Amino acid sequence: MNTVNSEFERQKRRKRAVKKGVMVLKYAALAVASFIVLMPILWFMTSSFRSNNEVFANINPFSLREMFFGTYSLENYRTIFVKYNFARTVGNTLLVCFLTITIGIFVCSMAGYALAKMEFKGKRIMMMLVLFSIMIPFDAIAIPLYSIIMKLRWIDTYKAVILPAVANGMTIFLFRQSFVDIDNSLLESARMDGAGEFRTYLQIVMPVSIPTIISGALVMFTAQWNAFMWPLLVARSDKLKMLQVALADFQLENGTMWAELFAGITISMVIPCVILIPFQKYYIRGIASSGTKG
């Protein structure tokens, strides 16, 4: 009996050792893959602290030591903030994102609520149009939309950048899918207590939809933060310049200011990470919950 038990224990230890070895190999492979994927990001982040002459010095031949332990300076960041007024550009982009999210969440959530909980003629057609709008590339509507903005005399105004992005098809769809799951009896109880439709939406529906609100806000933030063509068309002046357009200014006719460009890209990457990472669990929860309802 003791022999059987000891053999069983040896097999159990052997299995644990094999399992631990597989786990170590798996994490080692993931670490190597992560390093390979992150290497270009690490390279341009470290290059943002160097002069244009030194940016490519550690590429041929490639040197990790020179890349991580070379000479660093904040001169590129000083240049883009002092000479190119990058602080105003970042401020413009953050302001546009904030206003787009504030107005857009209100508009998209009301549209989602109507599509989920109200009955009216053309509801199915309206829902199809919302889904269709997600699939249309912005380039296809840029010219007619620009024509409308020009007739409204909104060129070089915040309205031209913000209002076309307020009604976001993806955000409407997320809210609609979230609101479908809310029990109708809860809404009926609120109406029987004298609450109107708007009050029901505002005090009953929205408070239970926080993950969807965060998901929609992040979708709209990402779209505005990465926008390039539309701000390039309608926000031409320096006082309204957006981040992605400002980054293109470092690509000159006679060459590219790589060090300054890498500094700008680093800023444009760090700010969204600081904003998005704390809310990623709500974002994933909102996207996951909205994708399982019909």
Side-chain angles (χ1 to χ4, degrees):
M1 191 67 176
N2 291 334
T3 305
V4 174
N5 289 337
S6 61
E7 181 64 25
F8 177 77
E9 287 296 328
R10 280 196 298 270
Q11 291 181 1
K12 193 174 180 180
R13 285 196 297 269
R14 192 179 299 116
K15 288 181 179 179
R16 279 201 299 264
V18 171
K19 187 176 181 180
K20 187 179 294 184
V22 171
M23 189 67 66
V24 169
L25 289 175
K26 183 187 295 185
Y27 279 110
L30 289 173
V32 172
S34 300
F35 182 77
I36 294 173
V37 171
L38 292 174
M39 179 57 66
I41 299 175
L42 295 173
W43 176 72
F44 79 69
M45 289 183 71
T46 56
S47 297
S48 70
F49 295 96
R50 307 194 175 181
S51 67
N52 280 292
N53 294 329
E54 295 174 324
V55 166
F56 298 100
N58 59 340
I59 293 300
N60 189 19
F62 182 73
S63 170
L64 282 176
R65 184 180 181 281
E66 180 64 24
M67 175 178 167
F68 291 108
F69 301 102
T71 303
Y72 294 100
S73 170
L74 293 174
E75 182 62 25
N76 297 323
Y77 290 91
R78 190 193 69 82
T79 299
I80 65 174
F81 278 104
V82 174
K83 183 178 179 180
Y84 292 94
N85 202 9
F86 213 67
R88 185 185 185 98
T89 300
V90 174
N92 282 338
T93 310
L94 288 173
L95 177 62
V96 167
C97 290
F98 173 76
L99 293 176
T100 302
I101 291 170
T102 303
I103 303 171
I105 290 297
F106 184 67
V107 171
C108 295
S109 62
M110 285 198 297
Y113 178 73
L115 291 171
K117 295 301 181 182
M118 294 183 179
E119 294 299 328
F120 54 90
K121 288 184 179 181
K123 177 179 175 179
R124 293 178 63 86
I125 295 176
M126 190 67 67
M127 187 63 204
M128 290 176 62
L129 289 175
V130 170
L131 295 175
F132 190 57
S133 70
I134 300 174
M135 296 179 283
I136 298 177
F138 183 80
D139 298 2
I141 63 170
I143 300 304
L145 186 58
Y146 177 81
S147 178
I148 295 172
I149 295 298
M150 188 168 60
K151 289 177 181 178
L152 292 171
R153 298 181 180 178
W154 285 358
I155 299 298
D156 270 340
T157 65
Y158 284 110
K159 290 181 288 187
V161 184
I162 295 169
L163 294 183
V166 163
N168 184 286
M170 183 64 185
T171 306
I172 294 174
F173 175 74
L174 289 176
F175 275 112
R176 187 266 176 189
Q177 294 296 87
S178 176
F179 294 159
V180 162
D181 201 43
I182 297 176
D183 194 347
N184 289 329
S185 61
L186 182 65
L187 307 183
E188 290 297 330
S189 299
R191 296 185 185 111
M192 290 177 63
D193 289 339
E197 205 65 57
F198 183 74
R199 185 179 175 186
T200 301
Y201 148 81
L202 197 61
Q203 296 185 356
I204 304 297
V205 175
M206 292 300 283
V208 299
S209 306
I210 299 301
T212 307
I213 293 173
I214 294 175
S215 299
L218 294 182
V219 168
M220 300 180 80
F221 171 81
T222 304
Q224 281 289 52
W225 188 263
N226 294 324
F228 173 74
M229 190 178 74
W230 185 244
L232 182 64
L233 290 174
V234 299
R236 303 168 182 170
S237 63
D238 290 339
K239 67 177 183 179
L240 290 176
K241 186 169 290 184
M242 299 284 285
L243 184 62
Q244 302 303 325
V245 178
L247 291 178
D249 290 344
F250 297 120
Q251 300 176 6
L252 307 177
E253 183 178 351
N254 298 323
T256 301
M257 302 170 63
W258 290 108
E260 290 82 358
L261 177 60
F262 288 153
I265 292 174
T266 300
I267 294 172
S268 72
M269 182 187 69
V270 169
I271 293 176
C273 288
V274 171
I275 295 174
L276 297 179
I277 289 176
F279 298 105
Q280 62 178 338
K281 64 177 181 180
Y282 298 102
Y283 176 76
I284 295 171
R285 188 188 308 169
I287 294 293
S289 62
S290 66
T292 57
K293 307 174 186 73

